[in-house]
Amino acid sequence: MTAITDRQQLAYIAGQAADARVNVEVETEGMTLNIGPQHPATHGTLRIIARLDGEQVVSVDPVMGYMHRGYEKLTEVRSYPQVTTLVNRIDWLGSFANEVPFILAAEKLMGVEAPPRAQWIRTVLFELSRVANVILFLGDMGVQLGALTPVFYAFRDREHVLNQIEAATGGRFHPNFDRIGGLKDDLPKGWIAETRAVMVKVRSFCDEMEDLLMGSEIFEARCRGVGVIPPDVGLAYGLSGANIRASGVDWDLRRDGDTPLVWNEVDWKVWTHPDGDSFARYWVRLQETREASKIVDQLLDGIPSGPIMAKVPRIIKVPEGEAWVSTENPLGEMGYYVVSKGDTGPFRVKIRSASFNNISILPWVLRGVYVPDIITIMASLYFILGDIDR
């Protein structure tokens, strides 16, 4: 007589259960799943510790700080002009936009205002930084869901925008172009016409993303109703930018803030979406990229003539005092609280950037979702590791 093995016995029991249409529930222990700190979906050194019950998330702990650079302390041993070389590395995809609120805070303390031409050019470059940054998100979101083509399109068209930033500032990733009182240089000849042509390409890219991703049933099925953040919860966690506007909150510092840049001189719209899910966050950023290209077009039409620098001393000494300035950066609200004791460098600087809050809501929004949705939700919240670990 042949002995029956454990495997054969289990197969027999499973077959009997299937024939009798009986559901067999198996008790299993919970499992801990580590994502990162080196994982493509985290886009850098971020570790996500997810505790699972089957395929469902019970709790999540994001672990940050692997690449902390101590920017705030480094500013205390730099002069004001040198600080811009540090802060444009915080969110390296939107680096020019990082410089602006710090320079505005220093100008506020000094009582200096950049000439109108400089303010208009700053606003144009600010929006170009937004477009260059968000284009990568629009393509990369497809990769997180298994669609590779969109990110190739994103890298292709982002190059056109970076070329224009480089032509004006001399730098693709780290412009260091802002100065207290204005800008380093004026725009090169022919730059305005070339930038206008690039904005046409940006709008064409947005149409392609709409066809490739938002028209996809898979994209909708993976994003609709996934990672829903109600507006009160989003505000409680400090979400800002497109993440909070995708939860229906009509708040944009370009319109609602008090920065001296010139968004109020052109006609544009703040986009919101009522659903608060991963689809809404993608949809809002897509619309905002189109809107940014239209803002750039209008600004290019109206750049005034005149100087690009106010009269400031060769050696910058900022009077004693404190100032807070925040702007609507590509990832959300970014602000600098600057304390001066009257020296050539800041006494203290506190930086508020958006990505830290975008990550902080993960334990709340990931609770109860399935494992594949972790990646979708993280991608839709959008963050830059340098912006978290500053």
Side-chain angles (χ1 to χ4, degrees), residues 4-22 24:
I4 298 175
T5 64
D6 290 345
R7 184 183 293 275
Q8 287 171 326
Q9 193 171 6
L10 282 172
Y12 173 77
I13 294 170
Q16 293 293 311
D19 290 343
R21 296 183 183 278
V22 175
V24 179

Side-chain angles (χ1 to χ4, degrees), residues 84-120:
T84 57
T85 64
L86 290 174
V87 297
N88 64 27
R89 285 164 166 75
I90 294 173
D91 166 13
W92 44 73
L93 296 182
S95 47
F96 181 85
N98 297 356
E99 299 177 12
V100 174
F102 176 78
I103 291 292
L104 291 176
E107 288 178 350
K108 190 174 183 180
L109 283 168
M110 292 182 69
V112 170
E113 189 171 326
R117 182 173 177 83
Q119 299 286 22
W120 281 70

Side-chain angles (χ1 to χ4, degrees), residues 17 22-28:
V22 175
N23 290 323
V24 179
E25 290 191 2
V26 181
E27 290 289 335
T28 58

Side-chain angles (χ1 to χ4, degrees), residues 71 86-98 129 133 173-174 329-331 334 353 355 382-384 386-387:
Y71 286 119
L86 290 174
V87 297
N88 64 27
R89 285 164 166 75
I90 294 173
D91 166 13
W92 44 73
L93 296 182
S95 47
F96 181 85
N98 297 356
S129 288
N133 186 316
F173 263 48
H174 305 303
N329 280 44
L331 300 174
M334 184 170 194
S353 56
S355 291
Y382 196 32
F383 51 84
I384 303 294
D387 204 40

